Amino acid sequence: MFNALTISQIYVLDQDEALDFYVGKLGLEVHTDADLGFMRWLTVNVPGVPDRQILLEKPGPPAMSEETAQQVRELVTKGATGGSLFFTTDDCRGTYETLKGRGVEFTDEPTDRPYGIDCGLRDPFGNSIRFSQPKS
C-alpha cells in the first residue's frame, strides 16, 4: 500500500508570479523547475523538507482541454477551486509579522483556536493558505 504523500498540487495562473510569492515572500524553496515540453513542472517545499512538495500548476493541456482550462482559470481567480495549503510554524504571530512585512495580505489575523494559534491568507491567485502554531 501507499507509504507517503509526496506532492500536492494547486493551480496558479502565472508560474513566475507564483515563484515570486511562494519563494520570495513565503520563504519556501524551489525543489524542481523543469520544462517537460508539454508543461513546466514547478515544485516548491518548506526549506529542509524536500520529500513533501507543492506542484504549482498552470491549468491547461495536456491535463485538460483549453476550454476546461479557461473555466478552471476563472474559478482560480474567484478562489473557488478549493486549492488550499496548511503549514505549521513554531511562532504564528512572529511569522505573521514577518510575512506582513514582506507585503503578504492576510484574510485572518493570528487567532487563538482550540488546536493552537492560526491565521490565513490567499496567494495572488486566490488559493487559501493557513498556518498554525499547534498547541504543545
Side-chain angles (χ1 to χ4, degrees):
M1 294 303 291
F2 305 120
N3 60 16
L5 175 63
T6 57
I7 302 173
S8 298
Q9 173 271 0
I10 59 170
Y11 287 121
V12 299
L13 300 181
D14 181 309
Q15 289 176 306
D16 290 326
E17 186 178 356
L19 200 56
D20 180 58
F21 180 78
Y22 282 92
V23 175
K25 291 191 176 179
L26 297 189
L28 302 184
E29 61 185 21
V30 175
H31 183 280
T32 305
D33 189 355
D35 182 355
L36 301 182
F38 57 89
M39 71 176 287
R40 180 180 179 190
W41 184 265
L42 177 60
T43 64
V44 295
N45 57 270
V46 171
V49 189
D51 56 343
R52 186 73 170 91
Q53 303 163 45
I54 303 164
L55 172 63
L56 304 173
E57 184 177 9
K58 193 173 173 181
M64 61 186 71
S65 70
E66 185 53 44
E67 179 183 354
T68 300
Q70 180 56 38
Q71 293 169 338
V72 171
R73 287 190 284 271
E74 290 171 13
L75 291 172
V76 169
T77 302
K78 295 177 182 176
T81 57
S84 186
L85 302 171
F86 204 112
F87 298 96
T88 57
T89 178
D90 293 331
D91 180 3
C92 186
R93 295 182 200 288
T95 301
Y96 169 85
E97 291 300 331
T98 297
L99 296 181
K100 197 170 176 183
R102 293 178 184 170
V104 173
E105 296 181 22
F106 283 81
T107 56
D108 297 304
E109 295 182 0
T111 304
D112 289 311
R113 309 277 187 196
Y115 51 85
I117 304 169
D118 90 346
C119 60
L121 60 121
R122 291 198 184 278
D123 74 5
F125 315 103
N127 294 299
S128 174
I129 299 171
R130 298 199 73 82
F131 58 88
S132 72
Q133 176 184 337
K135 282 189 174 181
S136 49

